[in-house]
Amino acid sequence: MSNHPVVQLTSEASWNFTNSHHTGRRFLAKLVAFLQDEVYPSVKLYYAQIPKDPVQRWKTVVPIIEELKVKARKLGLWNLFLSKAHYPQHGVPLSNLEYAVMAEVIGRGGHMASEAVNCAAPDTGNMEVLARYGSPEQQKEWLLPLLNGEIRSAFAMTERFVASSDARNIKTSIRQEGDEIVINGHKWWISGAGDPRTKLHLVMGKSDPGNPDGYKQQSVVIVPTDTPGVRIVRPMEVFGYDDAPEGHCEVIYENVRVPLKNLVLGWGKGFEDALGLHPFLSLYTYFANRLGSPGRIHHCMRSIGVASTALDLMIQRVTDPSRKTFGKFLYEHGTVIAEIAKSRAEIEAARLLVLSAAHQACSRIISMPPITG
């Protein structure tokens, strides 16, 4: 077993995945050092800097995040999710598999670690969409500020009253009126909509509800957050947490008007097939499920990082002399050590399964031809 710091945070297998690639190894080692020296020690400060006041907590840009972003960018630890193989103009020389390994150690630092290196959702998926499908004007206005970490974004698909995990069910109306696009809809669980730095929403809705092809009814539009008619109803809670200042919000779009240039790719392209490929490798995928892009793999690996941290805390507790029971450490009780072993096995299995998926998806996605208008 290697004593390299990377192995302490993930596994020997994960290190070996990147060990044959000089660039991936260099990025990963540098990332681990940054996380251990700068990010992990700042987690408590991050939460302390979020006001308790129910109004101010949604108006606050957490200072420590901005400080960490400056340091990360100077180190070249920036936009690591965006592979140069797929996005040569904006990406970094890392494969999907290599970044998947990095996503696990990033996950150990919670939301703030991802944001510190400009790899936080929903911005990552939105940047991929704009980098791949955005017009030059859209990229200049919205993509570059996102890549620079100057602004944040939200992705608005999920709706009330419908099973919107299948985006064919969404009801939000997107229609052309003269030289404008008019949007009317009621969305919720819109991640990022509460952040004061969020300057755009990517809104998915129906532009051609009568089309007999259910995959050609939807379009996606860029909506600046300061457009009249955009209303944040409330931040919603997950297990009692509101995730301020980012939030997962209920949002109403009421007669929202944006110029035609804000349409992404084209009318009815929300489910656009990639040159005859199955719809799961489509524009919809990038916006909604993010399965065709590496986004879901990134989420899974970050979750594994969270699970690994939880296991570390469990081990700390069961080896704590102050918590002995019946004259024994907690780990000396058979059921306790059995559960720890089970947890370790489940984490190891999950990690290798996701890394296998990343390895298989990488070549498929990078070889996918670009969609044209």
Side-chain angles (χ1 to χ4, degrees):
M1 176 70 71
S2 170
N3 290 322
H4 194 281
V6 172
V7 176
Q8 298 174 19
L9 295 178
T10 173
S11 72
E12 184 79 10
S14 296
W15 176 234
N16 288 336
F17 270 124
T18 59
N19 203 25
S20 61
H21 192 306
H22 176 73
T23 302
R25 184 169 67 246
R26 177 171 53 84
F27 269 104
L28 182 55
K30 187 188 294 187
L31 175 65
V32 166
F34 174 68
L35 292 170
Q36 288 184 318
D37 296 343
E38 300 284 355
V39 178
Y40 299 158
S42 302
V43 171
K44 290 184 179 179
L45 176 59
Y46 168 79
Y47 287 106
Q49 289 181 339
I50 299 175
K52 303 299 182 186
D53 181 271
V55 175
Q56 292 303 315
R57 64 193 280 105
W58 297 101
K59 296 180 179 180
T60 299
V61 177
V62 183
I64 187 60
I65 280 289
E66 297 305 312
E67 295 174 20
L68 290 170
K69 284 164 63 176
V70 172
K71 293 178 180 179
R73 194 163 188 183
K74 287 181 179 179
L75 291 169
L77 299 172
W78 197 252
N79 297 331
L80 300 174
F81 69 96
L82 207 58
S83 174
K84 185 177 284 293
H86 201 42
Y87 305 98
Q89 184 178 354
H90 305 291
V92 295
L94 293 171
S95 71
N96 183 34
L97 176 59
E98 289 167 331
Y99 179 68
V101 175
M102 296 178 192
E104 179 181 352
V105 295
I106 289 173
R108 285 175 168 267
H111 291 300
M112 64 168 294
S114 296
E115 191 178 344
V117 292
N118 212 40
C119 293
D123 297 331
T124 49
N126 292 342
M127 283 188 271
E128 285 188 88
V129 166
L130 292 171
R132 185 172 179 83
Y133 304 110
S135 67
E137 185 176 0
Q138 290 170 350
Q139 291 183 354
K140 180 179 180 181
E141 186 172 2
W142 303 112
L143 175 60
L144 293 182
L146 283 169
L147 289 171
N148 291 332
E150 299 165 359
I151 64 173
R152 298 210 65 192
S153 62
F155 170 68
M157 184 192 75
T158 315
E159 296 183 3
R160 297 192 67 181
F161 313 119
V162 299
S164 45
S165 57
D166 179 350
R168 292 174 298 178
N169 295 328
I170 62 178
K171 303 297 183 184
T172 292
S173 169
I174 294 178
R175 61 184 175 84
Q176 182 175 350
E177 189 174 294
D179 60 354
E180 293 181 318
I181 298 172
V182 183
I183 301 106
N184 281 280
H186 194 162
K187 304 282 190 179
W188 69 355
W189 300 112
I190 306 307
S191 299
D195 197 306
R197 296 163 296 176
T198 294
K199 301 301 180 185
L200 72 148
H201 295 184
L202 296 182
V203 181
M204 189 172 187
K206 283 195 173 178
S207 55
D208 188 8
N211 195 310
D213 187 339
Y215 290 100
K216 295 184 178 179
Q217 298 178 356
Q218 295 79 14
S219 297
V220 177
V221 180
I222 298 171
V223 176
T225 55
D226 59 358
T227 306
V230 177
R231 179 160 64 92
I232 307 297
V233 178
R234 58 172 173 142
M236 304 173 76
E237 294 185 346
V238 181
F239 297 121
Y241 296 95
D242 60 15
D243 283 332
E246 179 182 300
H248 313 283
C249 298
E250 183 175 358
V251 185
I252 289 177
Y253 303 91
E254 185 174 4
N255 293 320
V256 173
R257 293 176 176 269
V258 297
L260 281 174
K261 67 178 183 179
N262 285 25
L263 181 68
V264 178
L265 190 58
W267 291 107
K269 302 277 188 171
F271 273 97
E272 180 71 15
D273 287 4
L275 299 180
L277 298 178
H278 189 279
F280 83 81
L281 289 179
S282 67
L283 174 59
Y284 159 71
T285 292
Y286 280 79
F287 282 104
N289 290 334
R290 310 293 172 93
L291 293 174
S293 69
R296 285 296 178 230
I297 289 170
H298 303 167
H299 285 316
C300 290
M301 292 304 294
R302 283 192 293 265
S303 296
I304 291 167
V306 173
S308 296
T309 299
L311 182 60
D312 290 346
L313 293 173
M314 186 192 304
I315 292 172
Q316 287 180 23
R317 185 179 183 91
V318 302
T319 56
D320 185 346
S322 68
R323 297 184 181 278
K324 285 184 176 181
T325 59
F326 306 103
K328 294 182 178 180
F329 284 97
L330 292 179
Y331 76 85
E332 293 179 308
H333 295 280
T335 56
V336 173
I337 199 68
E339 290 301 317
I340 291 175
K342 180 181 178 182
S343 296
R344 173 66 73 188
E346 289 175 342
I347 290 172
E348 292 288 339
R351 176 190 292 117
L352 292 175
L353 282 170
V354 178
L355 290 177
S356 176
H359 178 65
Q360 294 179 60
C362 184
S363 58
R364 294 177 185 177
I365 300 305
I366 288 177
S367 64
M368 187 176 76
I371 291 177
T372 61

